[in-house]
Amino acid sequence: MLTTLISFFVTLGVLITFHELGHYWVARWCGVRVLRFSVGFGRVLIKRVDRHGTEWAISAIPLGGYVKMLDQDDLAPSSKISSSEHSAATHTNPPGSPDPRGSSFQSQPVLKRFAIVAAGPVFNLLLAVFLYASINFVGHKEPEAILASPTANSPAAQAGLKGGDKVVAINQTAIASWPQLRWNLLQRLADGGEAEITIEQGGAQLRRTLQLPTLADPSQADPMRDLGLGLAGGPPIVRSVVEGSVAQRAGLTSRDLIIRAGETHSPDIGNLVQIIQNNAGKPLELEVDRNGEKLKVLVIPSPHTLENGQTIGRAGIQLGADIPMVEVSYGPIDSLVQGAVKTFDTAWFSLRMMGRMLTGDVSLKNISGPVTIADYAGQSVKIGWEAYIAFLALVSVSLGILNLLPIPMLDGGHLMYYLIEMVRGKQVTDRVMEWGQRIGVSLLAGLMVLALFNDLIRILN
């Protein structure tokens, strides 16, 4: 729990700070005076004023942040500053100093205001590019894209793919590892159709056509498993056994090598998981190799109901295998290019999923809230720094895209107003902005309730 909480707050701190730095730096570049830069909302806990008169603060509620810029109300001696704007104290203009009216946000041309507001989401996307690039530049090991035997009657089996096939390209795009294969296919599953798979089989390169169903609900079972695709490796090894699980009660221990599951001899991890899931509540005999001694263990997988009503079996074991690995690394320029491509692909995939949620083709259950983010942050930290950096990049892309949506109260809502102003030649009326604010608050409140509800359902499941 402590690891999860620390990881969550570090994630929020990094992403919020970088987002607000985008607003801050572009505002300063445009000549706008910044009164306060705060990480968090509510009561200020720590603050410091720099030589430019900006108050840098850490506030009590760490679920956001803001940059308070000089506005017209701050220039009126008798004006009251709205608490919702989290303004710093009223600033006066010393005798002989430049007229501050030119340094207020509202006095700037519309293009400058547009740039200042857009800078926050853009900086989140740039952060994702940098994070992905850093992983590529440092280098890391990933499993080779060598396939396990596909499940019977699956799209992979129907395409003629076989165990031991090494995937080298998809639609003539080179594939170096299993994660690249998975990500490439996941993007294509967003729209369905087919993919041309180039494989190495018996020393020759062959092409196979894989039929892709449309991805209806990414939160459910592994899409790769639904395609019949699994990662090849040695026999499944029990890495750990969950305390009190059916596997522990049956006598399975860590380092057990599973060499048979039911009637299936020499199963790989994908086969074994599928067999366990298909035998919910049914006796399943496993044969294991324990330090050279062959033993038979009877496991009855416990039934578990998914959100879509499907019942699967779970044994309570974490599996691993000896898998061929490949070193994935790029030079400085290629790392940045790959980082930019991954950021763009992730953003575009997110937008397509959002669009399909609006049309009802994808379940709203895929919307996650802070509880799920905290959970994933903690899990990625336990896996390793690469997993956490990749997770940080993914959330940064999501934050950038979310803030660019044309919803009043978000950065995208303000950008929408500025685009209207560019077309009309004058600002949107106060009445329109007031109604937009009401609509925006309602939409965001509803979105937050839905996200928290989904988080709760995941916890209960």
Side-chain angles (χ1 to χ4, degrees):
M1 179 62 72
L2 183 61
T3 300
T4 297
L5 289 176
I6 293 175
S7 305
F8 176 58
F9 288 123
V10 168
T11 298
L12 287 184
V14 170
L15 299 184
I16 292 169
T17 299
F18 212 82
H19 179 97
E20 300 303 334
L21 280 174
H23 294 310
Y24 170 80
W25 282 332
V26 176
R28 289 290 310 277
W29 179 74
C30 290
V32 175
R33 184 177 177 184
V34 179
L35 303 182
R36 175 182 287 173
F37 183 108
S38 177
V39 177
F41 292 110
R43 185 169 64 89
V44 173
L45 302 177
I46 303 173
K47 65 180 179 179
R48 183 183 68 84
V49 179
D50 66 15
R51 61 188 180 88
H52 300 291
T54 301
E55 181 183 280
W56 296 79
I58 297 178
S59 301
I61 305 174
L63 297 177
Y66 61 91
V67 170
K68 170 62 181 176
M69 295 171 234
L70 186 70
D71 60 31
Q72 299 299 330
D73 290 340
D74 294 323
L75 301 174
S78 61
S79 66
K80 293 183 178 180
I81 302 172
S82 170
S83 59
S84 65
E85 294 292 335
H86 307 280
S87 173
T90 303
H91 292 253
T92 57
N93 187 32
S97 63
D99 187 347
R101 286 174 293 183
S103 61
S104 68
F105 177 78
Q106 288 92 340
S107 66
Q108 305 305 312
V110 65
L111 286 177
K112 283 189 176 182
R113 283 181 275 133
F114 188 96
I116 292 169
V117 172
V122 169
F123 267 53
N124 277 126
L125 298 176
L126 291 177
L127 175 61
V129 172
F130 172 77
L131 292 174
Y132 284 132
S134 67
I135 296 174
N136 293 330
F137 181 69
V138 172
H140 55 289
K141 290 185 179 295
E142 293 181 348
E144 282 194 272
I146 300 177
L147 302 180
S149 299
T151 51
N153 301 318
S154 65
Q158 293 170 3
L161 297 173
K162 299 178 180 179
D165 288 349
K166 180 179 178 180
V167 179
V168 296
I170 297 179
N171 288 356
Q172 301 183 9
T173 300
I175 296 297
S177 65
W178 174 261
Q180 292 183 15
L181 167 65
R182 181 185 180 87
W183 174 243
N184 202 301
L185 285 178
L186 187 61
Q187 294 180 79
R188 285 168 170 75
L189 282 167
D191 300 315
E194 61 183 33
E196 182 185 79
I197 310 293
T198 304
I199 59 172
E200 286 185 357
Q201 190 181 88
Q205 286 199 355
L206 306 172
R207 294 181 179 179
R208 300 285 185 261
T209 300
L210 180 64
Q211 297 298 324
L212 302 175
T214 301
L215 185 62
D217 194 346
S219 69
Q220 296 301 322
D222 186 355
M224 297 294 281
R225 192 175 302 145
D226 291 342
L227 290 173
L229 295 173
L231 181 62
I237 302 171
V238 178
R239 298 296 190 196
S240 63
V241 180
V242 176
E243 188 73 24
S245 65
V246 295
Q248 186 187 54
R249 293 195 296 271
L252 283 173
T253 62
S254 62
R255 303 307 302 169
D256 279 350
L257 205 65
I258 300 177
I259 57 178
R260 179 176 61 83
E263 302 299 321
T264 303
H265 293 266
S266 302
D268 54 43
I269 290 181
N271 297 146
L272 180 57
V273 170
Q274 193 72 47
I275 291 169
I276 292 174
Q277 290 184 344
N278 291 341
N279 283 274
K282 303 175 185 176
L284 175 64
E285 185 178 78
L286 302 178
E287 187 173 354
V288 303
D289 184 328
R290 182 177 298 167
N291 299 322
E293 181 183 3
K294 290 183 173 56
L295 303 171
K296 294 180 180 179
V297 177
L298 189 65
V299 176
I300 304 177
S302 58
H304 177 81
T305 303
L306 300 176
E307 294 177 12
N308 61 1
Q310 179 186 1
T311 299
I312 63 173
R314 287 187 174 174
I317 52 177
Q318 184 183 44
L319 297 170
D322 294 326
I323 297 172
M325 304 294 283
V326 61
E327 181 74 21
V328 178
S329 63
Y330 301 89
I333 302 301
D334 286 341
S335 293
L336 283 173
V337 171
Q338 292 293 330
V341 170
K342 184 63 178 288
T343 299
F344 175 82
D345 287 344
T346 304
W348 181 236
F349 180 79
S350 299
L351 287 172
R352 283 188 290 172
M353 288 296 103
M354 289 179 187
R356 295 186 62 201
M357 285 183 195
L358 292 176
T359 59
D361 294 327
V362 170
S363 172
L364 294 176
K365 296 176 182 178
N366 290 284
I367 297 176
S368 300
V371 178
T372 298
I373 294 174
D375 180 33
Y376 287 175
Q379 290 187 43
S380 63
V381 165
K382 293 175 184 176
I383 294 172
W385 74 269
E386 297 166 14
Y388 180 69
I389 294 298
F391 165 77
L392 200 62
L394 176 63
V395 180
S396 191
V397 172
S398 299
L399 182 61
I401 293 300
L402 177 65
N403 272 280
L404 285 174
L405 296 179
I407 299 175
M409 297 294 291
L410 295 178
D411 292 333
H414 293 288
L415 297 178
M416 177 179 63
Y417 292 148
Y418 300 148
L419 288 173
I420 295 174
E421 181 178 344
M422 292 177 195
V423 174
R424 296 176 68 237
K426 58 182 179 180
Q427 294 186 7
V428 176
T429 64
D430 291 341
R431 182 173 178 80
V432 170
M433 293 187 69
E434 180 183 348
W435 274 102
Q437 187 174 28
R438 293 177 181 177
I439 294 172
V441 168
S442 301
L443 287 174
L444 291 178
L447 190 63
M448 180 58 69
V449 170
L450 177 61
L452 290 174
F453 175 78
N454 288 342
D455 283 350
L456 179 61
I457 294 298
R458 290 188 183 99
I459 291 173
L460 294 176
N461 283 339

